[in-house]
Every structure is written in structure tokens, then in C-alpha cells.
Amino acid sequence: MTTLFIFEHDTLKLAIGNDAPESIPLLSVILKEKINGEVSLTFSVPSDHPDSEQIKYGNRVVWHDMDNIPRCFVISEEEESHDSNGLVREFYTEELAVSELNDDFITDVRLNNTTAKDALDRILGNSLWEVGTVDNLGTSSTNVYYDSAMSGIQKVIENWGGEVRFRVSIADDNTITGRYVDLFERLGSDSGKRFKYSKDLTSVTRTVDMKNVKTALYGRGKGEETDSGGYGRRITFKGVEWSKLDRDPTEKPAGQEYVEDFVAMTRWGHRNPDGTYRHRYGVYVNEEIEDPEELLNETWKQLQQMNEPSITYEMSVVDLEHLYTHEAIRLGDTVRVIDNNFAWDVRVEARVIELEQDLLRTENTSVTLGNAVGELDDIVRQLESKIDKKVATGDVVDWLQSELDLAKKRVISATSHLYLGDSQQYPGLFIPNAKESDNPTEAVYLTSGGMLLSDSTLPDGSFNWRTAITGKGINANEINAGTLNAELVNIQSIGTDRSIYLKDGQFKTYYNGKHSLSVGAYSMTIYDHGMYDPNPSYTEAGTVGLMWLSSGSDTGNNSSYRGLGVVTYKDFINLGFAKSDGNGEYTSQPILRVNRASKLSQFYGPVSDSKDDYVDMQIFADSRPRSENTQGGIFDAPGIRIHRGIFPNSNPSSYVSGVQVYISDYEDQGVEGSFKVNLIEGESNYNTIFNLDRSHLYVEPTLLQIGPDTCKINVHRNVARWQQSDSNYILQASNGNVAIYAGGQAKHTFYANGTKSGGSIELDGKNWGMSPIDSPRILIEDVIFDQEIKPEGVTITLDERLSKALDGKYDVFPSRGDVIVADKSANSFVVQGEGIVSLRIIGTRKGTNQYFEDMSIYEDIVEEGNNADTSRTKDQSNKSKANSASSGESTRDHD
């Protein structure tokens, strides 16, 4: 029975209830609870009871809940009325914690990257309340600034999560000695409680609320601090990028200010006239967040709380807890509801988010269910053996119908003997196909516990009961079905964690308790099993599904290009084939592998058995066959072919080591344009090594031809020529000398030792040719202008670098004949005279003794290189024709 304890402050004053005859009787006691919300206790007593006056406004009321936890309330309102019970005093109470903690004030508590327990401890530091039981909710951050302690607790719930409960402790002397705040990851449990109509469910009201559904959210964090110390515009996550390839929960490109849930948009978004959908947008604001990455994460979490309609179920139930312990229900429990008597069947699994209990009349109890897990069939259909549907190839009749027809004939034509409680072995309703004394082989046996069916007997003569029907379900060795109507099908392999789940168009498989495969809508997703991974993650590995792209003519959200896509959310994607070792083991031989982790893409040809095994990998841009009257291969298409091994059907055998690349139609099709690379050492031994046309680039080991036939880079006898034509080019010899030829003549020569012959000068924007001093020697000269001299002599010191370059071999020529040059040394000389004079210094370059140069020494090499070019061009033309014919024959293998 229910007893309420009335306290004056923290000291017990009296107890009221309906157990003791002299106690104040309770006329009504209603408890209302809501997760992380208001909890209240309303009770009424007769006004004319002599002890009634002891109950006053402000008294504390302690009630022990179903788990014997003391819960304390304070009387905040009183109302006196006259009804069928006479004069009645009704008291409304709120939780003591709400009353006291709303009046405790906090000026500034900054909680940075800490636990929920530490956060509560600091928030409650100056109050009468202390931290009780707190589950591990991770770390988070928030600030409480000039606000109440109760508001601080609410901020903890918002940032750390969890569900709160307030309680007190009562000492042996009947005084309140402790006040505690508990924070659990969740209240209640999944107790398996079911509400069924006609048992403990008396009414149901289902409410679907779409008002707050959002499929995309903008995020706004803390305002950015300004120079004046204030705060300006709030931060956003515009610059943050999310990609499912990086294992983020959704796609969010950089520059986008909102995060979106595409699945929710297709279910709950606004429908456009063209059949596409647009988002339901909203804004999430958290003034405590300063980091854009954290803001995006929190906005996504908030979106997951708003991306579906709010569905609640308000029900009047009979509270059977006081009669049967297993029927207990608590705030926060996950329960199931079954009611098949409505136009829509109520079959839901959800949590008790509100609970209103009449503690005196349990039949008046009602619950509100929210955060519905989904409307589902409570009866899980477990087929403990496979469903075996066998239809032979060529069957012309419907398999199921033929099975039904056969079953009906067997039932109708069966011989039956009825035993109603008088069977020697089966005391219930027993129907065999013969008398018990005649050893029947088929039977139906029915009792209050269920039904057994047998169509054969075991070797010992007993019935082989292959089908059993009980109140818990159907167990059968074989089930034949056409259309199986069910909200949920769950097929569990006996004694394992392997199952198949089918619901709402979704097909899912589980292996060893882990999600392994999902098929639904227009995609198939495979999950990682985590094997061989030191840090296993059992999330999505990849998806095969429908894809669409926009063409150039599409407008709006239209995408006229349709196709199939294969994507991975992990490190790499691999396409290959299995190769057997002959012992039942297989290894994967890749064809295409793209590894995001190692930043490597690879394309493989078929695997050969040895180096002599012929392998031919071919890539063609078009599979259009050539017409019958054309020559060459069977495909008229640009392509890439890579060979190795021994040419097939070659006599004698020719070893292949090379590559052919055609990026145009073959030459004999008369199509202009070509890109060709040949390096083949077998059969025809042709080696074009690059041929880009129109018009044209040709490269081979000693020649690079660019543009017209005469433009080329040629290497011959260790001499390189950069050639515009056969008579205009730059030549570089192996000794480092460079000569410039114009009109077939060497005009300028630059030597490896730094000297040169010939010269030109640019004046007024034009290049003018000129000749330096013609001399058979290599000279260095300098001029000293306007030098002042004296009769007794002036010493002129040579520049140190000039002195070293001349090495003392020089002479000085004054601009006046009356000037005398004397005392000449390697680094100075003396000039005697009067006035101003210019001095010309001429000498030979250090280390040279050349006297005239023969500039025709390279002409023989040039002539020989020209002859080699002409021969090479003819070879290239002949080999191109041979390549085309040979390539055509080899491509027949491709077909």
C-alpha cells in the first residue's frame, strides 16, 4: 500500500496512508513522471480529519517508489473543495530538487573537456545537493554563467547526455540526511514488458507530429570575439569538409553551411512538381562551441534527433506490478504494445517517456511512449530450418499451386480415426491414419499445449513429429509458401549468432552477431568483418548501387545519365579473379586496384604461368568490327596493347617484350591522326617508339622530330643538333663546344673554355650583326678613359682579375704620342706626361696560343647526320605498315 511521509523541514512530522485506522486516509495519489522533465505528486485527504491541519504549504513529502528509493517533494499548491467525499484538501507538490536548485545561483563555472561527474560536482558545490550515481558519459564542455544550479544540470544533460533522477536518504531517526543527483545513461531497461489489449491495455491514442521534422540543419556556434571585447557573428562549419570515403557519416562539401540527411529528405522532404525532393531546413545554435569541427558533429547529432516525425502513444493500462512482479514497468523502460482491434494495428516498440500512475487505483495508470524504434510485429518468426523451394528447369506449372493441390488431395482422401482422450498413448485429441493396433504412419495430436503433426514413423515405430504448433510459434522442418505477409521476418540459425532479417523492404544478414550485408531500395552494402585488423571497425566496407549524373542539357536537379556505381568507405577497392592452387585454396589475382591509403592506382593484365607464357592486354576505345573487305585486324578502333612472352603461332618462336599504343584509327583505314608507341623485339622487330601526328612529333632513341619534317632534335656520333632545317640549327659537340649555323654556315662558335667567335649587338630594339676585332689570336682588351698624368709619372694598377687573365702578356697604347709608358709589370705600369690621356690595354688570354681556327671541322659530321635522318624516315614508314598488319592479326585473340 501507499504511504506518504510528511516532514517539517528535514524532520518527520507524520505518516499518512490507508493502512492504519487512525491515520489520515489518502483519497487520491497521482504520480506524474517525465524523462528529464517535470516530476510531480498530487494527493488529497479529507479536510475534517483532526490531523489534516498538520499538513501545510511548504511541507516536504517523501514517498518510496517501486524500487524503495526515497523521493522527496515539497508542497507548492493547496486547494480545498467539496465533492462526494465531503470537504477535500488537495495538495500539489514538485520535486524538492527543483525547488531548491532553482534558487541556488552560480556566477561563473567553466567546464572544459571534463566528465559529467566532475561537471555536476562543481555545479552543486554551493548547494545542499551532492553527486550520486553517475554513469560514464565521456567528456564534454560547457559554461554556466550567472544562472541557477538547475539550469546548470540541464546544460550537463544537453552536452553530456544522460537522464537524471533526484533522491534523498532517510536516517534511523527519521530525518532527511542526504540529497543526491543521479545521472544515468538511460533510465529503465528493456524488460520485455508487453501491453496487450484485453490484458493490461485499455485504450491507445497514436499521435504523429511532423512540425519539427528537419532534413538539413545550419550550425551556429559561439560568436567571434571582436577587438572591442564583444562578440560578432557566430562561427559556422562552412569550411569543414566531410566525405564518406573518409568514414564520415555523410557528405558535406567545403563551402556548404548546412549538413544534410539525404535519406530523411527522400522520406520526409517537400516534394517538387517534377517528383524530386527539397530539404526541410532548420538551425542549430550552441553558444558554447568554438571549434567548427565540433559544431558540425553536434549539428549532425541534433539532425538525427529531428529527421523523423515525433510519434507518441498515449495508453491507459492496468498496472499489474502489484499483482505480478514480472509485470513491472518503470519510467524509461522499452516496452512492446500489441492491439489488433484498430483500423491500423498498433505494433510498436518504444520507450516510456511519460508515466502517470494512480497509486491507489492501478487501473487508471497511463503511459506515453515516444522515440519509437519502429512499428513492428511483436511475434518474431524464427524458422529453425531452411525454407526449401525447389522448381526444376522447364516446369510449366506453378510450384506452390501444385504443392497446395497435392496437399488438399492428401488431406481430403486421408483415412482418419478419432481418439478423444481414449488413446492408450495420446490422451488428448489424437487422429491417426489407422487404428492404433494397425500401426498408423501419419497422425495429428492436439492438446491444450499445442498441436503435433507427423507424416511418417521412425525406425522404432514411433511417430516422426516434424511440425509443432504452440502458443510460442510454429516449429517445422519444411515450410512451403508463396507470399509471406509479415512486418518482420527473422531467420536465426540454431545455436549461432547468424541470422537473416527482412523488414520494410530491407534485407539484412548477421554473421557472428555482426552486421554483414544489407540489401534494400537501390543498393547493396557489405560490412567489414574486422578479421586480421588490429583495430577492427565493423562499419560499411562498400556499396553497390544506382548512380545518376547530369548531362550538359539537364536543368535543375535532373540527371538523365543513369548507371551503376561501386564505392568503398575503407582504404581500397579491388577488381580481380580467383586463382586456384589445385587444393581447394584460392588467391585473388587483381585486375584493377585503387588504394586510397597508399595513393596508388594499378591496372593488371592476366597472370602468366612463366616468362615465356604469352600475355596480351588490350584496351580499345571502340568495339566496332571492321568491314569484311578491309585488311588488318578485326577492330577499327584506337587502342592500347601490351605484350610479353612468346608470340603465338610464330615460326620460329619470337620473344615479345614491349608495348603498342594506338590513340587513333589504324593507318590503313585512311583516318588522319595518330599516336603510336611501338617497342617490339619479336617477329618484325619494329620499334617506332612514339609517333604523334598532325603534324607531327616522332621520337626514337636518337631522334626527336617536332612539327614539319625538318624540325627535329637529332643525336648522332655524340653530337646533338637542335634543327629548324637542314641548314639552320644549333650544334653541340661532345667536347662542349656549341656552334650556330645559319644558311649552312657556322656563324657563331662558343667554346668550352669560355671563348667565342663572331658577335652581334641589340640597338634600339633590333638585333644588329657586327664583328669583333678580327685577330688570329684570342685577345683581351680594356680602355682607361681620361687619365690625369704628371711629368714625374703616375702608377696605374691593373684590375686584379684583368691582371690574372693577361698573365703579364699585354701592352699599353696612349691616345697621345707625347706620353711615355714605363716600368710595366704584371699588375701595374707608369705613365709620364702632362694633362689628360686615354690608355688602351691589349693582351693575350691566359693559357691560349691559338693562331687562326679552322671552322669547317664539324661539316663532315653534319652531312653524315643528314644522311642518317633520310634513311630513318624510310624505315619508319615501312615499319608503320608492318605494325598495322601485325596488330590486326593479334587482335583476333581479343574477339
Side-chain angles (χ1 to χ4, degrees), residues 680-743:
I680 305 296
E681 301 297 334
E683 294 225 309
S684 302
N685 194 33
Y686 47 93
N687 56 0
T688 302
I689 313 303
F690 204 52
N691 175 24
L692 176 67
D693 224 279
R694 199 183 176 101
S695 273
H696 55 254
L697 170 66
Y698 166 69
V699 180
E700 58 104 342
T702 61
L703 175 67
L704 172 62
Q705 184 171 310
I706 305 171
D709 292 346
T710 56
C711 296
K712 63 187 73 174
I713 298 175
N714 184 15
V715 179
H716 184 69
R717 281 180 51 188
N718 294 327
V719 174
R721 284 192 297 156
W722 287 261
Q723 177 177 313
Q724 183 273 331
S725 67
D726 291 339
S727 58
N728 299 313
Y729 51 86
I730 299 173
L731 182 146
Q732 183 175 13
S734 59
N735 61 6
N737 294 347
V738 177
I740 300 177
Y741 280 72

Side-chain angles (χ1 to χ4, degrees), residues 582-700:
N583 298 317
E585 297 292 331
Y586 290 86
T587 57
S588 175
Q589 302 290 349
I591 298 174
L592 174 65
R593 177 178 293 166
V594 180
N595 194 323
R596 181 174 59 88
S598 60
K599 298 179 175 62
L600 178 65
S601 298
Q602 297 168 300
F603 184 58
Y604 300 82
V607 179
S608 62
D609 294 325
S610 69
K611 72 174 184 178
D612 295 332
D613 184 20
Y614 181 76
V615 175
D616 187 3
M617 183 171 71
Q618 306 177 357
I619 304 174
F620 290 91
D622 186 2
S623 60
R624 172 175 52 87
R626 295 180 177 183
S627 59
E628 294 181 357
N629 58 358
T630 59
Q631 298 179 352
I634 63 170
F635 285 100
D636 178 16
I640 298 175
R641 304 177 59 210
I642 301 175
H643 317 278
R644 70 165 306 282
I646 302 297
F647 260 121
N649 304 320
S650 59
N651 188 22
S653 297
S654 300
Y655 185 74
V656 180
S657 176
V659 60
Q660 295 185 28
V661 181
Y662 300 91
I663 310 299
S664 76
D665 286 313
Y666 292 117
E667 292 177 346
D668 59 356
Q669 299 305 297
V671 179
E672 185 179 0
S674 175
F675 174 96
K676 186 182 298 182
V677 177
N678 292 309
L679 180 60
I680 305 296
E681 301 297 334
E683 294 225 309
S684 302
N685 194 33
Y686 47 93
N687 56 0
T688 302
I689 313 303
F690 204 52
N691 175 24
L692 176 67
D693 224 279
R694 199 183 176 101
S695 273
H696 55 254
L697 170 66
Y698 166 69
V699 180
E700 58 104 342

Side-chain angles (χ1 to χ4, degrees), residues 546-580:
L546 178 69
M547 294 191 71
W548 51 90
L549 297 172
S550 297
S551 68
S553 60
D554 287 334
T555 59
N557 294 324
N558 293 332
S559 299
S560 56
Y561 292 155
R562 321 296 291 188
L564 190 68
V566 181
V567 298
T568 182
Y569 310 116
K570 299 288 186 177
D571 300 314
F572 72 92
I573 191 167
N574 188 85
L575 177 66
F577 56 88
K579 184 175 182 181
S580 173

Side-chain angles (χ1 to χ4, degrees), residues 354-417:
E354 294 186 39
L355 181 60
E356 181 175 329
Q357 292 177 279
D358 188 329
L359 301 181
L360 301 183
R361 302 168 186 84
T362 58
E363 68 275 10
N364 295 330
T365 296
S366 65
V367 299
T368 300
L369 305 184
N371 304 323
V373 175
E375 295 191 16
L376 52 85
D377 192 337
D378 181 61
I379 302 174
V380 177
R381 294 164 177 84
Q382 296 187 351
L383 307 182
E384 297 183 348
S385 180
K386 62 181 180 181
I387 298 176
D388 192 10
K389 292 186 179 181
K390 297 180 180 178
V391 181
T393 303
D395 283 354
V396 294
V397 297
D398 180 81
W399 166 82
L400 179 62
Q401 188 60 49
S402 65
E403 289 288 318
L404 289 174
D405 291 343
L406 178 61
K408 285 188 292 184
K409 290 178 181 179
R410 289 182 60 190
V411 172
I412 294 172
S413 62
T415 300
S416 301
H417 293 267

Side-chain angles (χ1 to χ4, degrees), residues 144-193:
V144 184
Y145 186 71
Y146 283 89
D147 213 336
S148 68
M150 182 58 71
S151 178
I153 294 174
Q154 184 62 36
K155 287 190 175 183
V156 171
I157 295 171
E158 291 173 356
N159 289 278
W160 277 265
E163 296 172 356
V164 69
R165 180 186 71 185
F166 302 105
R167 59 183 171 88
V168 297
S169 60
I170 309 296
D172 293 339
D173 60 354
N174 291 324
T175 58
I176 299 175
T177 56
R179 294 165 166 81
Y180 301 97
V181 179
D182 299 328
L183 187 62
F184 301 101
E185 184 175 1
R186 62 163 284 178
L187 292 171
S189 64
D190 188 348
S191 62
K193 169 66 178 173

Side-chain angles (χ1 to χ4, degrees), residues 727-731 738-751 755-761 767-772 774 853-859 862:
S727 58
N728 299 313
Y729 51 86
I730 299 173
L731 182 146
V738 177
I740 300 177
Y741 280 72
Q745 301 292 325
K747 299 298 184 180
H748 304 275
T749 304
F750 299 87
Y751 300 96
T755 62
K756 62 183 180 295
S757 62
S760 62
I761 188 171
N767 198 39
W768 300 92
M770 69 175 194
S771 176
D774 292 327
E853 177 192 11
D854 183 4
M855 297 185 67
S856 65
I857 60 175
Y858 301 109
E859 293 178 359
V862 172

